[in-house]
Amino acid sequence: MAILEVRNLNKRFGEFAAVRDVNLTLERGEALAIIGASGSGKTTLLRCLNFLETPDTGEIIVKGETIFDAASELRRNDSWIRKKRLHFGLVFQSFHLFPQYTALRNVTIAPELLAKGEQGFRANKAKILADIERNATEILDSVGLSDRLGHYPPELSGGQQQRVAIARALALNPDILCFDEPTSALDPELTGEVLKVIKGLRERQTTMIIVTHEMQFAREVADTILFMDEGCVVEQGPPEDVFGNPKEERTKRFLERYSQGYIESPYKLYKGTQDVLFV
C-alpha cells in the first residue's frame, strides 16, 4: 500500500490555477523530487499537502486513510486538519526559527506542546520532557549540530539554521518529510552541508518529497522525478528516464534551459567538496 496518494488535486487563487488535477503516489521509503520553473506550482502543491493551503478539489490519502477530501466538510474542519498536518514535516525555504530560543529549544518546543495536550502529561511530566529533550539532542547530533545545542539562530550560519529546521521537522516523527527548495536561501558554499544531511536521510530510507532546482542532486537522491509546468504534472518517472530520455517537449525545453545555465544551481559550485564544507 502506498504511504501517500494524491487524487485530482486543484488549487486556484482567484482566476489563477496554481495546481491543476495533480495525481501522484509515493511508497514508504521513497524519495520524490519535484522540479520545474519558478511559478510552476511546486511550492503550492507542498503547501496543500501540509494544509497551509486548502485545496479546492481532490483527496489526500496517507497510509490508506483519507485525511483530506474537498467534498467532505468533516475533512475540511480546522481541528481535523491540525491533527492530520502531523503526517507531514515541512522544511521551508527560509528557516523560520524562533530567534529567542536556542537550537535545542527550537526542536523541543513543538513536541512539548503536543505532549501537553495528551492524557497523563501532568503525572509523567518530568519523564516526558526528559525524553523529548533526549530525542531532540540525538536528532541535532545526527545533523551535525551536537556542539550547537545552546546557540541561538543569529549565532548560527545559514546552513546550520537550516539543519536546525530539518531537526525540528524530524522531531515530530512525520510519515513524510517535505522540503521546499531547502537551499535557496543559502550561499553556495553552505548548500553542500544541507544537501549532505538530506542524502543521509535518504540513505536511512526516510520518505521524502523534495522541491528543488538542484537537478544533479535530484538525479542522485530521488526514486522518482516529477516535472511540473503551469500547475500540471507534465511528466514523471525514474531519474534516468526523465533526465536521460524525457518524453514530453516541455520537459526537454526545461532541461535544455537548465543545461545552458538559464536556471543556475549552486550545486555545480560545491560538487565534490561536500566534506570540506560540512562544518
Side-chain angles (χ1 to χ4, degrees):
M1 178 186 296
I3 194 170
L4 172 67
E5 294 178 77
V6 176
R7 298 177 182 171
N8 304 315
L9 206 69
N10 287 269
K11 177 63 182 177
R12 302 182 69 89
F13 296 99
E15 296 299 313
F16 177 65
V19 173
R20 298 192 290 170
D21 293 321
V22 167
N23 293 272
L24 66 88
T25 300
L26 185 65
E27 300 294 331
R28 186 182 298 278
E30 285 189 341
L32 169 70
I34 304 177
I35 63 172
S38 297
S40 60
K42 307 183 303 296
T43 292
T44 302
L45 174 58
L46 277 195
R47 289 175 65 87
C48 286
L49 293 178
N50 203 53
F51 302 111
L52 294 174
E53 303 289 350
T54 303
D56 298 317
T57 64
E59 298 175 76
I60 301 171
I61 301 161
V62 177
K63 296 189 293 188
E65 177 189 4
T66 300
I67 67 168
F68 178 83
D69 181 353
S72 168
E73 287 302 318
L74 171 64
R75 289 177 170 81
R76 295 174 68 110
N77 178 275
D78 287 344
S79 176
W80 176 279
I81 286 173
R82 278 195 297 271
K83 293 177 182 177
K84 300 309 176 185
R85 183 176 285 162
L86 296 175
H87 289 292
F88 299 90
L90 180 56
V91 179
F92 298 89
Q93 295 180 25
S94 299
F95 322 125
H96 293 310
L97 301 178
F98 294 108
Q100 71 272 32
Y101 294 142
T102 64
L104 180 61
R105 182 60 181 149
N106 265 279
V107 177
T108 61
I109 188 168
E112 285 185 15
L113 289 172
L114 288 173
K116 288 177 181 178
E118 296 295 324
Q119 188 174 11
F121 173 77
R122 288 189 177 183
N124 299 283
K125 179 178 179 179
K127 182 181 184 306
I128 291 171
L129 294 182
D131 288 344
I132 289 172
E133 182 168 319
R134 181 172 60 255
N135 183 58
T137 300
E138 291 174 355
I139 294 172
L140 284 165
D141 179 56
S142 75
V143 299
L145 293 173
S146 59
D147 60 342
R148 297 291 191 272
L149 302 183
H151 286 62
Y152 293 85
E155 300 171 331
L156 302 173
S157 71
Q160 290 169 342
Q161 289 185 63
Q162 191 62 300
R163 283 186 275 155
V164 173
I166 293 171
R168 178 181 58 189
L170 288 169
L172 293 175
N173 194 31
D175 293 304
I176 302 161
L177 188 58
C178 301
F179 294 90
D180 183 16
E181 296 282 7
T183 62
S184 65
L186 300 177
D187 293 332
E189 64 270 18
L190 299 176
T191 296
E193 62 186 69
V194 172
L195 296 187
K196 182 173 181 178
V197 168
I198 300 174
K199 283 186 177 182
L201 293 171
R202 179 69 190 93
E203 290 168 1
R204 297 195 290 274
Q205 294 190 311
T206 303
T207 308
M208 296 187 291
I209 300 175
I210 308 165
V211 167
T212 184
H213 279 115
E214 313 286 355
M215 301 301 139
Q216 183 60 33
F217 174 71
R219 184 195 291 264
E220 292 173 2
V221 302
D223 297 287
T224 301
I225 303 293
L226 187 151
F227 170 63
M228 291 187 69
D229 187 42
E230 297 183 342
C232 299
V233 175
V234 175
E235 186 166 352
Q236 59 182 309
E240 57 270 23
D241 291 348
V242 175
F243 288 118
N245 186 30
K247 297 179 176 61
E248 300 295 329
E249 187 60 34
R250 280 190 282 178
T251 313
K252 294 177 184 177
R253 288 200 304 268
F254 172 78
L255 293 174
E256 182 176 320
R257 285 176 59 82
Y258 178 83
S259 67
Q260 293 173 349
Y262 290 104
I263 305 169
E264 185 55 58
S265 168
Y267 191 92
K268 299 172 185 175
L269 301 178
Y270 75 80
K271 184 166 172 55
T273 62
Q274 297 96 315
D275 291 335
V276 175
L277 294 170
F278 190 73
V279 297

